[in-house]
Amino acid sequence: MARVSQLPADTVKQLQGSLAILSIEQCVEELIKNALDAAATHIQIHVDVKQLRLKVTDNGLGIPGDALPLLAQPHVTSKCRRLTDLDTIATFGYRGQVLAALASVSILQVTSRQQGASGAWMAIWKDGALVQCSPVDDAPFPSGTVVWVPALFYKLPVRRLYHRPTMDSIKQIVVQFALTLPHVSFSLFDTDNNLVLATKKGLSRYDQMRQLIGPVQAIWTLTVHERVFEVDAIFGKAPRALQFIYVNHHLIPGQHDLYKRVHSLLHEWEPHCKTPMFLINIDWLMLSSVEIPALESQPMYDALVSLLDKHIRGHFLPYPRSVPPLIDETLHFEPLATPNVLPTEINVAPMPANEEDQPMEEPPSRTNDEMLLSWLVARSYEAPLKIGRADLAQLKVIAQWDYKWIVCRLQQTLLVLDQHAVHERVQLEDMLHQPWSGDAVVPLEPSLTLEMTPNDVDRILRWRSELQNWGIHVQTAPGAAFIPANTKSPHFTTTSSHFESATTRRALQVTRLPSLIMARCLQMPSLLHQLLLGMVNDFETAQHPSHHLPPSLLELLKSIACKTAIRFNDALSLNQCCVLVDALSSCRFPFQCAHGRPSAVPLVKLSTTPRRRRPIHWDNVQHL
């Protein structure tokens, strides 16, 4: 974890803002953001709405003991160091004001153990002043942080009298985070320690949505990766209007212009649907958290609006009359679960002669195949009627263009290949042909220990043999049970027993991993935790044992192929371009990257007719 320190004066002046805690809902929201910024994968919330008490527990990075006394001071944070950091910061918080504002209106206790530290530390603030900071000498404390607020607004009796929160309002806050963060598990408990809400890690975004908001009809999904945007969206019809748009996991307020634009498009698609549902997650590269509140003023905002307009219209609105559909209209969009349904050939529809001089309107995409076909429609020239995998061996590489594309020639047609999509496809298919046993499985020394709930450990151990078939060896850690300590303070007492309860955590040891995924899993243990639970879900939902790659493992391979592939702005020599194109010609599904984007686009048809030149009349020249 980065060092906790005071923000410089120029940075504080640039932020120009303050934070006041006005409700217990706001308090829960800010503490969840703090836990997520600490890389927590499990967050547990206890709320007593009658007595205005709450406790938030996470398994994040933890806080060093020597930094704990600084936490409740204004503008103290570990997420920002200098003014230039604001241009690239990606965390939920960066002002260093939440705990200071909370300590000023309540009694605040923070107990934390940094990952790798020998023990935990506890600090208590009252009226904004530190009253205690000491090590925890009780039972072993797991890595992570516990924030306990036993008396919110204790100095403001009028606010306590009229502030009447409900568990539904608290639950809504938790749901808003859970919808966009399926890799994080949330647990919410009420005054009597009854479980109000629980989510599981490793679920797909659709399964997470269905668990949280109930049944949704007419589901369509959309996945787009263009320029600096990665869009993952779900559309449908629900009993009530449920509409969420996230940018870099930040929920955009409902009155934002993006909601109006999406809602109007869906209303054109289904005018009689009064309650359209959509969940849109947008990953906007190079956009800092500071810039998200002023989204409409960003230079690329119009490009984002155009992207959503194009693809939503393409999926839901009828085809333009001037453009014949390439595929039967009865087909509807379905996400690709496995690579064995990708196209091995590309069919391109020829254009009618009477439309040769008309401006082109690109057909909308309905499936991943159709999206690829629409990219390959060329109205201003006669493109080849079919480009097959065998044709790729005849490509002649000309050069790299704009550090993004590889320009090739196929007979009399120029094509451009997306260098990132091509390398991503080549790497994915290479990984799919690698063995998952024998020398391909590497022992971990020392083994990797994951902390999780007893139920998750039991589920994983139940499928131990199936996991070993894919090179993942797990076992129970000897004598491992992690129980959070019940820390007590002489400065206040509690009357609610659920604040002293603890959830037992068990340890699972991973002893061997396939070499393909080992580096990524060691770098991000939470990803391995998510992978294990995802594979268990795949095994449990399968009707019978299968030798096909589990979908969760396939998604990880796709991610690895994407993260390690050649990027835009990477310079390639002519020889490197030739090697890449040659490798693509050997792929089984060469015309799509791992995530469905097209890898090849026809650019122009070269003319074979010699240019007509006007004769030069030299006699006339002599008279001049």
Side-chain angles (χ1 to χ4, degrees):
M1 181 178 181
R3 182 172 57 87
V4 177
S5 62
Q6 186 92 24
L7 286 175
D10 59 341
T11 305
V12 174
K13 184 178 180 180
Q14 181 72 17
L15 292 175
Q16 293 180 347
S18 60
L19 177 68
I21 300 296
L22 303 177
S23 66
I24 195 170
E25 292 91 347
Q26 182 189 6
C27 184
V28 170
E29 179 180 0
E30 296 295 342
L31 292 179
I32 290 177
K33 289 180 179 178
N34 274 2
L36 293 172
D37 287 342
T41 59
H42 178 70
I43 302 176
Q44 188 177 94
I45 306 107
H46 289 82
V47 179
D48 187 339
V49 293
K50 296 180 181 179
Q51 299 298 325
L52 297 185
R53 297 175 178 173
L54 72 148
K55 181 173 71 170
V56 177
T57 305
D58 68 66
N59 64 341
L61 299 176
I63 305 167
D66 57 350
L68 206 57
L70 304 175
L71 286 186
Q73 298 181 21
H75 305 295
V76 170
T77 180
S78 63
K79 305 158 191 172
C80 185
R81 287 284 179 273
R82 56 190 67 86
L83 191 60
T84 54
D85 291 344
L86 297 178
D87 297 331
T88 57
I89 198 162
T91 55
F92 285 100
Y94 48 86
R95 301 174 184 269
Q97 297 177 341
V98 173
L99 294 180
L102 191 55
S104 65
V105 296
S106 68
I107 299 171
L108 174 65
Q109 174 181 307
V110 178
T111 307
S112 183
R113 180 172 76 86
Q114 188 181 22
Q115 288 186 1
S118 58
W121 283 73
M122 178 184 66
I124 300 172
W125 292 265
K126 187 176 182 181
D127 298 334
L130 180 68
V131 296
Q132 179 183 341
C133 184
S134 59
V136 176
D137 299 326
D138 295 343
F141 195 92
S143 60
T145 303
V146 178
V147 179
W148 185 14
V149 182
L152 184 63
F153 306 136
Y154 78 102
K155 295 175 60 178
L156 305 170
V158 176
R159 184 177 295 182
R160 288 180 63 89
L161 178 64
Y162 288 98
H163 182 44
R164 298 175 181 176
T166 63
M167 286 304 300
D168 287 338
S169 62
I170 304 294
K171 180 180 177 181
Q172 183 178 1
I173 297 294
V174 180
V175 167
Q176 290 175 358
F177 285 101
L179 282 173
T180 188
L181 298 165
H183 64 281
V184 180
S185 63
F186 294 87
S187 302
L188 176 62
F189 297 86
D190 63 9
T191 306
D192 300 320
N193 204 29
N194 297 319
L195 183 63
V196 177
L197 174 69
T199 67
K200 294 182 179 180
K201 289 184 292 185
L203 296 178
S204 66
R205 187 167 275 117
Y206 168 70
D207 291 334
Q208 185 86 302
M209 179 198 68
R210 186 173 57 180
Q211 176 188 357
L212 292 172
I213 66 178
V216 177
Q217 299 177 348
I219 285 290
W220 291 272
T221 62
L222 171 67
T223 302
V224 180
H225 184 185
E226 289 186 13
R227 305 177 74 177
V228 297
F229 305 110
E230 293 185 19
V231 180
D232 185 6
I234 302 174
F235 301 89
K237 303 175 186 178
R240 61 188 188 279
L242 299 168
Q243 299 170 357
F244 304 91
I245 299 179
Y246 296 87
V247 174
N248 295 349
H249 302 303
H250 292 253
L251 179 64
I252 303 302
Q255 64 272 18
H256 196 276
D257 177 65
L258 280 177
Y259 288 88
K260 299 176 184 178
R261 292 176 180 268
V262 174
H263 192 277
S264 63
L265 288 171
L266 297 181
H267 184 70
E268 293 180 46
W269 160 57
E270 185 58 81
H272 304 292
C273 180
K274 298 182 179 180
T275 57
M277 188 284 304
F278 55 83
L279 170 62
I280 304 176
N281 286 273
I282 303 170
D283 287 338
W284 187 333
L285 303 180
M286 298 178 293
L287 181 73
S288 71
S289 299
V290 181
E291 297 169 323
I292 291 179
L295 206 60
E296 296 181 19
S297 63
Q298 300 306 314
M300 294 293 294
Y301 178 75
D302 291 338
L304 172 63
V305 172
S306 299
L307 182 147
L308 292 175
D309 183 86
K310 179 180 69 172
H311 288 281
I312 293 176
R313 284 182 181 276
H315 279 283
F316 297 123
L317 300 185
Y319 287 105
R321 293 183 179 180
S322 60
V323 180
L326 297 175
I327 297 184
D328 189 357
E329 287 272 352
T330 59
L331 294 179
H332 60 88
F333 178 85
E334 290 290 343
L336 294 176
T338 57
N340 56 3
V341 296
L342 299 177
T344 57
E345 292 183 337
I346 303 174
N347 294 314
V348 182
M351 303 313 305
N354 58 355
E355 295 186 2
E356 186 70 17
D357 298 327
Q358 296 182 6
M360 187 187 87
E361 291 185 70
E362 187 180 72
S365 53
R366 295 289 296 272
T367 66
N368 282 347
D369 293 2
E370 290 175 90
M371 177 181 69
L372 188 58
L373 293 173
S374 65
W375 275 78
L376 294 174
V377 170
R379 302 182 68 107
S380 60
Y381 58 90
E382 293 182 3
L385 296 182
K386 177 177 289 188
I387 302 175
R389 184 174 63 177
D391 297 323
L392 295 178
Q394 304 174 21
L395 288 181
K396 180 180 179 181
V397 177
I398 297 176
Q400 186 189 34
W401 172 41
D402 197 25
Y403 299 105
K404 300 179 180 68
W405 317 96
I406 300 175
V407 182
C408 302
R409 178 173 178 172
L410 177 61
Q411 297 174 0
Q412 298 303 318
T413 302
L414 282 185
L415 297 93
V416 290
L417 305 181
D418 182 333
Q419 64 185 35
H420 175 73
V422 168
H423 194 213
E424 184 178 309
R425 165 54 57 182
V426 170
Q427 291 200 122
L428 177 62
E429 296 211 5
D430 181 65
M431 288 189 289
L432 292 176
H433 287 89
Q434 298 298 319
W436 295 91
S437 59
D439 295 338
V441 180
V442 180
L444 301 182
E445 298 179 359
S447 59
L448 183 62
T449 301
L450 303 176
E451 298 179 16
M452 56 186 67
T453 64
N455 181 57
D456 288 343
V457 173
D458 293 338
R459 292 177 62 212
I460 292 173
L461 293 177
R462 193 178 305 126
W463 297 94
R464 181 188 303 180
S465 60
E466 283 75 11
L467 290 171
Q468 289 182 4
N469 292 338
W470 298 103
I472 302 176
H473 295 243
V474 297
Q475 66 183 26
T476 55
F482 299 90
I483 305 177
N486 295 327
T487 56
K488 299 181 180 180
S489 169
H491 295 274
F492 48 81
T493 59
T494 65
T495 57
S496 181
S497 60
H498 74 274
F499 285 111
E500 297 183 348
S501 64
T503 301
T504 301
R505 307 279 291 176
R506 289 178 58 187
L508 183 75
Q509 284 187 341
V510 181
T511 59
R512 300 173 71 91
L513 282 174
S515 57
L516 289 176
I517 65 173
M518 183 184 67
R520 188 77 183 278
C521 292
L522 292 180
Q523 183 182 8
M524 299 179 61
S526 60
L527 186 64
L528 177 59
H529 188 169
Q530 180 181 351
L531 173 65
L532 290 173
L533 294 180
M535 293 181 67
V536 168
N537 289 334
D538 296 337
F539 298 146
E540 291 175 347
T541 56
Q543 298 295 329
H544 50 78
S546 174
H547 64 279
H548 294 293
L549 196 69
S552 298
L553 189 54
L554 176 61
E555 289 300 320
L556 178 58
L557 294 184
K558 290 180 180 180
S559 176
I560 294 174
C562 180
K563 297 293 183 182
T564 58
I566 295 170
R567 296 286 182 181
F568 281 178
N569 298 322
D570 287 347
L572 299 178
S573 66
L574 181 61
N575 182 61
Q576 289 173 325
C577 293
C578 293
V579 171
L580 200 57
V581 172
D582 182 64
L584 181 67
S585 65
S586 302
C587 292
R588 185 179 179 190
F589 306 106
F591 297 110
Q592 284 186 333
C593 76
H595 298 96
R597 294 188 299 115
S599 60
V601 180
L603 192 62
V604 67
K605 184 174 178 60
L606 302 176
S607 175
T608 57
T609 305
R611 292 183 60 184
R612 297 178 58 186
R613 297 188 177 184
R614 296 175 60 185
I616 301 175
H617 300 282
W618 294 103
D619 295 338
N620 296 336
V621 174
Q622 293 176 358
H623 291 301
L624 295 177

